[in-house]
Amino acid sequence: MNNISRVAVVIAALLPASVLAQSIKGIVLNNQGKAVANATVDLEGSDQKVTTNDKGEFEISGLNNGLKELHISAPGYAHLHRDITLANDQDHSATFNLKRSPIEVIDVEATPIHMSAMESASPVSVLSGEQLRRQQASTLGDSLEKLPGVNTNFHAKVASTPVIRGLSGPRVLITQNGLDVSDVSRVGPDHSVASEASTAQQIEVLRGPATLFYGSGAIGGVVNVVDSRVPTDSTTRGEWNLEHNSVDEQKVASFNATTGTESFAFYADAFWRESDDYEVPVAADIDDTEHSSKYVVENSNEDSDGFTVGTSYLFEQGYLGVAVEQFNRQYGIPGHTHGEEEEHEGHNHEEEHSEEEAVFADLEQTKVQLLGEYNIDSEWLSKINLRAGHTDYEHAEIEHGAVGTTFKNETNELRVDILHSQFDEWNGGVSFHYKKSDVEAQGSEAFTPPSVTESIAFAIMEEKHFGDFLVQLGGRVERVTIDANNVLLPEIDAHAHDEDGDEHDHDHDHEESNYTRVFDVAQEFTPVSLSTGVVWDFTPGYNLGLSVSRSERAPSASELLSFGPHIGTATYEVGALFDTHDGHFELSEEAIDLETANNIDLTFRKTEGDVGFIFNAFYNQVDNYYYQINTGLYAESGHDHDHGDEHNHEEDHDHSSELPVYLFKTDDVILHGFEAQVAWQLTDEFKVDLFSDYVRARLKDGGDLPRTPPLRFGTEFSYQTENLTANIHVTRYQEQDRIAQEETTTDGYTLVDASISYDLSVLNQDLSLYLKGTNLTDTEARVHSSFLKDIAPRPGRSFALGVRGYF
């Protein structure tokens, strides 16, 4: 060995490994051989992520020998995975060809491992970009209802929440940046979701059990609203929007902006929305034809506003930031009045109604979120994600100008995901999750006693590529406690009615009294969830996905402890902790069990080319499913509902203040169905989308679950050039005649929507002028999954005119 060689060896021995590390250099091209700019190249199992330049070039440096997995993505293209082996301390150069995908592929941020609609074993959907802005509505449920597998419970356009594969309420978790939104929307359909779509970056939907990531409250799915309130970079950018809608004279204004310095980033957003009662096409039970033909759903107005400010410290290994949000909303609650209005589905627009009789909700929420990410250059650990939140929520229902009922929810939550470095080509990590919710209701409709729900969980998630197979595994164990020290069991007069509506004579064992028993309740559950999934790329451009999971859910406090009138659902609710004997209620002798879902999802996808599709089929058997049954009994609501009739109360018992008694029971149910999505890029400008979904929800021993969405199918025609975008969307909802005992059949209908927008630049400001039309045929449309389908159909023909700016 000569002197020069000896010196080189000594220097190599002394230098750190990072100096001698290799790099991967590449260029990303499309099918025509043209460079793809702004494509994202991720090195899986690490924090390294780069973006291609205008020539499609990129470089990832600081790499050691071994197998490296690259994930390349760009808007309008199918994602590409490529394995590259580095050896002999040599750099590697390669060309990567992306193929067009007519179905937009967007990564999900709700999970610590990589997921997207085209690549994961479990079905997911993401609404973002122009599609999100085109479909955003005043409520979360109405914003998402055009996604396959997602419907709205349509609570008169003021409090609609998502229905995923026929499940909603305590089975569908709504989160903001991965943390529980922490309102009371899961308790009743008349309670609005405390989240805003107009300032969101994207909204993600995990269809099917997502307990692995979010716990037992996500056994039916997760909706995650993502925004940039804690910014991860300091690039100056933002958008603003102004809109007016004709059907309810709705006015909307919103903005969001991010800026900063090299080490600090700042974010702010705000929104304001105001609307009147919305117009409906018909009012079938009103014979007055002398007045205007315009009818409205009374008490469906809204006045909302909110703002968020956030900041973060940016450093080489990640970021750490905090954000504060104030969310305010006042909205009417249709069907929740104590005057004549409650009997009618629509009222003449010229008629005056008694403002003091209307009931409205006054919602306020303050939310603090602490988000962070720390990338670790370690042999064992790759990244630590931190999410922590504190939420203070209050929701007052105002009756006759005074507070009738107040709902409060104070929640503290912590999530820590620890991702390990790639080990034997496995990527993944462990997750720790803690949440404590103190929920309280006081007033005339406080049907659930104050309670504290606390959960602590540990989960593990792993995935690995075995050639053409991607294997995903996970498990979660959780401890859930529900404590309530003031559970009431009042002595009520619950009785049946005969066919004529008259009260049955029945013998009382004792005189009716105001005697109320009080209990302390402490329940503890240990839900365990297991999941496995496989994605097989059996031929270029196609894959098959299979996901099998077993998920357990602890019942919610309202399902267990409720006892009182719930006017939002027009029922007298009694929890599963109680049972009825001859019209009297006692503590139930039945065990309180976990709800267990055994779910299978099968997915077939075409991921690239001019035609793309996603077909999902699912089968979900849920044991010990908590739901409400009609006892056939009636109880006093506690309200004097004056319908304007002259009753002689001494001679005729007034049933107007009575509600049917519904009791929470458990049974085994089966839900199965499909979702289908096909996209065909006819030319660079024209695209056709087809979709359909269906869910059959039934009791295992016979019978149907209530408020199950019907079969629907539809199409969207899109035309897009550099400046002009136009869309026509047609959806057919079939008749729903598979109904529960207390339900009525809902007729089918067809909705036609359209939109057009034009992009231009004014004073170096990118603007988009747009016009949206909904229900263009002015069709009477009633939503079967709505508690208010008989009094609050969908809005009639509507036009929205707006302008949006970007910077």
Side-chain angles (χ1 to χ4, degrees):
M1 181 179 293
N2 57 37
N3 291 335
I4 296 177
S5 298
R6 291 190 182 97
V7 172
V9 170
V10 172
I11 293 175
L14 295 175
L15 288 175
S18 60
V19 175
L20 300 175
Q22 304 102 288
S23 65
I24 298 176
K25 298 178 181 179
I27 181 171
V28 180
L29 306 175
N30 62 18
N31 281 345
Q32 289 74 40
K34 296 181 180 180
V36 178
N38 298 318
T40 300
V41 184
D42 284 297
L43 180 62
E44 295 192 16
S46 79
D47 64 305
Q48 296 202 52
K49 178 189 297 185
V50 297
T51 303
T52 59
N53 60 22
D54 292 339
K55 298 180 181 179
E57 300 168 336
F58 72 91
E59 179 178 357
I60 301 177
S61 57
L63 305 177
N64 297 319
N65 290 336
L67 180 67
K68 309 300 175 184
E69 296 183 28
L70 296 184
H71 176 250
I72 305 173
S73 59
Y77 294 94
H79 290 199
L80 176 66
H81 289 268
R82 177 77 65 84
D83 291 345
I84 295 176
T85 301
L86 298 180
N88 302 322
D89 297 328
Q90 295 181 352
D91 295 341
H92 186 92
S93 297
T95 299
F96 304 88
N97 294 101
L98 297 184
K99 297 184 179 180
R100 182 160 68 174
S101 173
I103 298 178
E104 191 69 36
V105 184
I106 302 170
D107 288 338
V108 170
E109 298 188 16
T111 59
I113 62 174
H114 175 257
M115 295 183 72
S116 73
M118 285 296 194
E119 300 165 291
S120 60
S122 301
V124 300
S125 300
V126 180
L127 190 63
S128 68
E130 291 303 311
Q131 186 183 16
L132 171 59
R133 295 294 172 248
R134 192 167 61 247
Q135 296 183 15
Q136 72 184 32
S138 58
T139 64
L140 189 60
D142 295 345
S143 297
L144 298 176
E145 68 165 328
K146 290 183 180 179
L147 292 178
V150 184
N151 285 265
T152 175
N153 73 349
F154 192 74
H155 204 79
K157 212 173 75 64
V158 293
S160 307
T161 56
V163 179
I164 301 179
R165 293 179 168 180
L167 299 177
S168 60
R171 296 177 179 86
V172 173
L173 182 65
I174 299 174
T175 62
Q176 186 97 35
N177 298 314
L179 295 171
D180 193 340
V181 73
S182 300
D183 51 27
V184 293
S185 61
R186 308 173 85 194
V187 176
D190 55 329
H191 300 163
S192 178
V193 177
S195 186
E196 177 60 28
S198 67
T199 56
Q201 171 187 329
Q202 65 185 46
I203 304 177
E204 307 162 348
V205 180
L206 279 62
R207 304 195 302 275
T211 55
L212 176 64
F213 305 108
Y214 288 97
S216 67
I219 200 169
V222 168
V223 174
N224 184 42
V225 181
V226 180
D227 59 26
S228 301
R229 64 181 57 195
V230 174
T232 59
D233 65 79
S234 57
T235 304
T236 299
R237 61 188 180 275
E239 66 175 310
W240 55 268
N241 183 64
L242 299 172
E243 180 180 303
H244 179 270
N245 196 308
S246 64
V247 77
D248 55 1
E249 298 300 324
Q250 177 179 267
K251 296 172 282 294
V252 180
S254 65
F255 88 93
N256 65 80
T258 303
T259 190
T261 63
E262 183 177 350
S263 299
F264 292 93
F266 306 95
Y267 173 86
D269 73 39
F271 78 96
W272 169 80
R273 179 185 298 106
E274 184 179 84
S275 66
D276 297 334
D277 297 342
Y278 70 87
E279 297 176 0
V280 291
V282 295
D285 59 356
I286 294 180
D287 297 326
D288 186 0
T289 60
E290 296 180 1
H291 298 280
S292 169
S293 59
K294 293 183 178 180
Y295 296 97
V296 300
V297 172
E298 296 288 357
N299 209 26
S300 60
N301 51 2
E302 175 201 357
D303 189 357
S304 303
D305 62 78
F307 68 89
T308 305
V309 292
T311 185
S312 58
Y313 173 63
L314 310 175
F315 51 97
E316 185 177 355
Q317 292 83 13
Y319 69 92
L320 179 66
V322 64
V324 179
E325 177 190 14
Q326 181 63 43
F327 185 94
N328 307 304
R329 194 166 193 221
Q330 288 188 355
Y331 62 95
I333 306 179
H336 197 154
T337 56
H338 308 306
E340 186 176 356
E341 292 85 3
E342 122 180 300
E343 288 297 304
H344 300 294
E345 64 181 29
H347 293 266
N348 191 283
H349 197 60
E350 303 296 328
E351 293 178 4
E352 297 182 356
H353 63 280
S354 178
E355 293 288 348
E356 68 273 13
E357 292 293 336
V359 177
F360 69 93
D362 188 358
L363 183 161
E364 294 183 5
Q365 184 184 67
T366 302
K367 181 182 299 179
V368 180
Q369 289 192 340
L370 175 69
L371 308 179
E373 177 182 293
Y374 186 74
N375 297 292
I376 305 172
D377 186 12
S378 164
E379 181 181 358
W380 299 104
L381 297 181
S382 169
K383 182 191 302 184
I384 297 177
N385 293 325
L386 169 68
R387 294 185 178 95
H390 170 77
T391 303
D392 190 0
Y393 173 95
E394 184 170 328
H395 159 186
E397 295 187 355
I398 313 298
E399 308 178 29
H400 304 287
V403 175
T405 307
T406 301
F407 297 88
K408 296 180 180 180
N409 183 356
E410 183 175 348
T411 297
N412 294 294
E413 186 173 9
L414 173 66
R415 292 175 58 93
V416 179
D417 300 324
I418 302 175
L419 305 182
H420 62 72
S421 299
Q422 192 175 77
F423 175 74
D424 193 24
E425 301 181 27
W426 284 96
N427 295 312
V430 297
S431 179
F432 171 80
H433 188 191
Y434 171 80
K435 183 166 63 174
K436 181 180 180 181
S437 296
D438 189 345
V439 178
E440 178 183 344
Q442 295 181 342
S444 58
E445 293 175 20
F447 57 93
T448 301
S451 64
V452 176
T453 301
E454 189 173 19
S455 65
I456 185 169
F458 178 82
I460 183 170
M461 298 141 285
E462 295 290 335
E463 66 175 13
K464 179 179 179 178
H465 282 92
F466 294 87
D468 294 330
F469 292 88
L470 170 64
V471 176
Q472 297 177 324
L473 304 172
R476 180 185 178 107
V477 60
E478 189 172 5
R479 177 180 176 271
V480 180
T481 60
I482 300 176
D483 294 294
N485 56 14
N486 193 32
V487 178
L488 304 181
L489 177 56
E491 190 70 31
I492 64 171
D493 178 22
H495 51 271
H497 293 169
D498 59 24
E499 295 181 358
D500 297 325
D502 296 328
E503 179 180 336
H504 275 308
D505 291 332
H506 55 280
D507 297 328
H508 292 285
D509 295 331
H510 56 274
E511 293 293 328
E512 181 181 351
S513 68
N514 293 324
Y515 176 71
T516 298
R517 283 173 285 177
V518 181
F519 301 92
D520 289 342
V521 172
Q523 294 282 338
E524 181 176 332
F525 305 93
T526 307
V528 177
S529 297
L530 299 171
S531 176
T532 182
V534 178
V535 180
W536 177 28
D537 295 313
F538 63 92
T539 191
Y542 294 84
N543 67 43
L544 282 171
L546 175 66
S547 176
V548 180
S549 65
R550 177 179 174 84
S551 308
E552 293 181 328
R553 180 181 78 92
S556 67
S558 61
E559 290 172 315
L560 288 181
L561 311 177
S562 294
F563 204 110
H566 188 179
I567 308 302
T569 59
T571 59
Y572 196 102
E573 294 191 1
V574 178
L577 195 65
F578 310 102
D579 207 345
T580 179
H581 300 283
D582 298 325
H584 299 288
F585 287 91
E586 305 286 345
L587 286 176
S588 175
E589 297 180 357
E590 296 183 6
I592 303 299
D593 294 322
L594 289 167
E595 186 175 285
T596 304
N598 299 283
N599 186 80
I600 298 177
D601 262 286
L602 181 64
T603 306
F604 177 38
R605 291 174 283 224
K606 185 176 186 296
T607 62
E608 58 189 48
D610 291 333
V611 177
F613 56 73
I614 305 174
F615 297 133
N616 295 109
F618 64 91
Y619 182 91
N620 191 8
Q621 179 175 316
V622 187
D623 299 331
N624 298 315
Y625 180 91
Y626 285 83
Y627 73 111
Q628 293 174 301
I629 63 168
N630 190 344
T631 63
L633 303 174
Y634 291 80
E636 292 290 330
S637 69
H639 283 289
D640 181 15
H641 289 260
D642 179 13
H643 300 293
D645 297 326
E646 294 295 332
H647 287 288
N648 185 338
H649 295 284
E650 296 180 356
E651 299 177 1
D652 182 26
H653 183 75
D654 181 13
H655 297 303
S656 64
S657 61
E658 292 185 340
L659 296 173
V661 178
Y662 278 73
L663 176 66
F664 276 99
K665 300 290 285 185
T666 61
D667 211 332
D668 297 340
V669 306
I670 294 174
L671 301 99
H672 57 88
F674 68 85
E675 296 120 13
Q677 182 182 3
V678 180
W680 182 13
Q681 192 76 47
L682 295 169
T683 67
D684 289 340
E685 295 82 18
F686 284 99
K687 187 173 78 166
V688 177
D689 289 275
L690 304 172
F691 81 96
S692 180
D693 56 25
Y694 173 73
V695 59
R696 174 84 167 91
R698 58 187 174 87
L699 298 173
K700 189 175 181 180
D701 295 330
D704 297 289
L705 290 180
R707 289 175 294 281
T708 301
L711 169 68
R712 65 174 179 174
F713 49 87
T715 183
E716 182 177 47
F717 300 91
S718 303
Y719 174 80
Q720 184 173 8
T721 64
E722 184 176 352
N723 299 104
L724 181 67
T725 302
N727 299 273
I728 299 176
H729 195 283
V730 182
T731 306
R732 172 64 187 177
Y733 292 79
Q734 291 293 88
E735 177 188 65
Q736 180 56 288
D737 55 4
R738 295 184 181 273
I739 55 177
Q741 182 178 359
E742 73 278 6
E743 287 189 297
T744 58
T745 298
T746 302
D747 294 335
Y749 54 90
T750 301
L751 295 179
V752 180
D753 303 334
S755 66
I756 186 170
S757 64
Y758 185 78
D759 299 334
L760 67 158
S761 181
V762 178
L763 300 176
N764 295 322
Q765 170 80 58
D766 292 330
L767 299 179
S768 179
L769 303 176
Y770 62 89
L771 175 67
K772 296 189 296 186
T774 56
N775 194 5
L776 294 178
T777 57
D778 208 27
T779 298
E780 177 186 358
R782 301 183 185 273
V783 180
H784 186 76
S785 52
S786 172
F787 278 90
L788 300 180
K789 76 164 188 175
D790 293 326
I791 66 172
R794 289 181 183 270
R797 183 184 297 112
S798 172
F799 294 98
L801 180 64
V803 57
R804 185 176 299 116
Y806 303 89
F807 57 90

